[in-house]
Amino acid sequence: MKPREADPALFARWESAVAFRLFGDAPVPTLTVPEQIAAQLGDRILDGRLPPGARIGEQELADEFQVSRGPVREAIRILEREGLATILARRGAIVTELSADELREIFEIRAALFDTVARQVAAERPPELLAVLRAGVQRLEELATGPHDGDAYAETTY
């Protein structure tokens, strides 16, 4: 028997509550041009299109976004503050390369934050969340037992 599927609108609400995006904490953000560029570059870094160590070319990005190099430089500074880019003196910027220790630290922090969120959700017990959780578990079970390469499972759990 196939479990009842949750309303997709419920997913949208909860996904937006837990999704990591640059400037995701603003209710309805009005982003400056550098913030918009930083958000797009941040997405590229997080999804692997810009891998660790990749050069972040100011002029190429200025051409792509049809802006001067100033907003691109500011966007790179935003990414540096977020830990996604490293600015090298007189050599430009690259996507940050994290060591195993740094990755472990990040996951420990995320685990602690997740624990806090889980406790708050458990205390509030929003009824619509149960359907979302059941559908999420079903999706993870499908990904865990299916012929996938593991990337979809890792991304879904992330």
Side-chain angles (χ1 to χ4, degrees):
M1 182 167 109
K2 184 176 178 182
R4 202 181 102 197
E5 296 202 13
D7 179 1
L10 292 176
F11 278 110
R13 175 177 171 221
W14 291 103
E15 284 174 349
S16 67
V18 297
F20 172 79
R21 288 290 180 258
L22 216 47
F23 313 108
D25 55 344
V28 178
T30 302
L31 303 179
T32 65
V33 171
E35 290 171 340
Q36 291 175 44
I37 294 169
Q40 288 193 38
L41 293 176
D43 284 345
R44 292 177 191 179
I45 291 167
L46 293 173
D47 71 16
R49 286 179 283 160
L50 279 173
R55 183 178 163 280
I56 303 172
E58 285 182 14
Q59 188 59 56
E60 294 87 354
L61 291 169
D63 293 344
E64 176 185 342
F65 291 106
Q66 299 179 353
V67 296
S68 67
R69 289 173 59 176
V72 173
R73 276 191 216 106
E74 181 58 31
I76 292 170
R77 284 196 278 285
I78 291 168
L79 293 172
E80 182 182 40
R81 281 195 307 265
E82 295 297 322
L84 296 174
T86 302
I87 299 174
L88 306 170
R90 295 178 299 283
R91 294 190 308 187
I94 61 169
V95 175
T96 300
E97 295 184 74
L98 298 175
S99 69
D101 287 338
E102 290 167 322
L103 282 173
R104 185 174 55 253
E105 229 175 79
I106 288 169
F107 280 109
E108 287 172 0
I109 291 167
R110 286 183 180 169
L113 291 172
F114 184 76
D115 177 65
T116 301
V117 170
R119 288 177 190 275
Q120 288 176 343
V121 168
E124 293 173 14
R125 297 182 182 163
E128 70 274 12
L129 183 58
L130 185 57
V132 172
L133 291 174
R134 284 187 176 134
V137 168
Q138 178 185 354
R139 175 75 177 134
L140 288 174
E141 287 173 347
E142 290 168 2
L143 291 172
T145 58
H148 308 288
D149 61 7
D151 288 346
Y153 181 88
E155 186 175 319
T156 301
T157 58
Y158 174 75

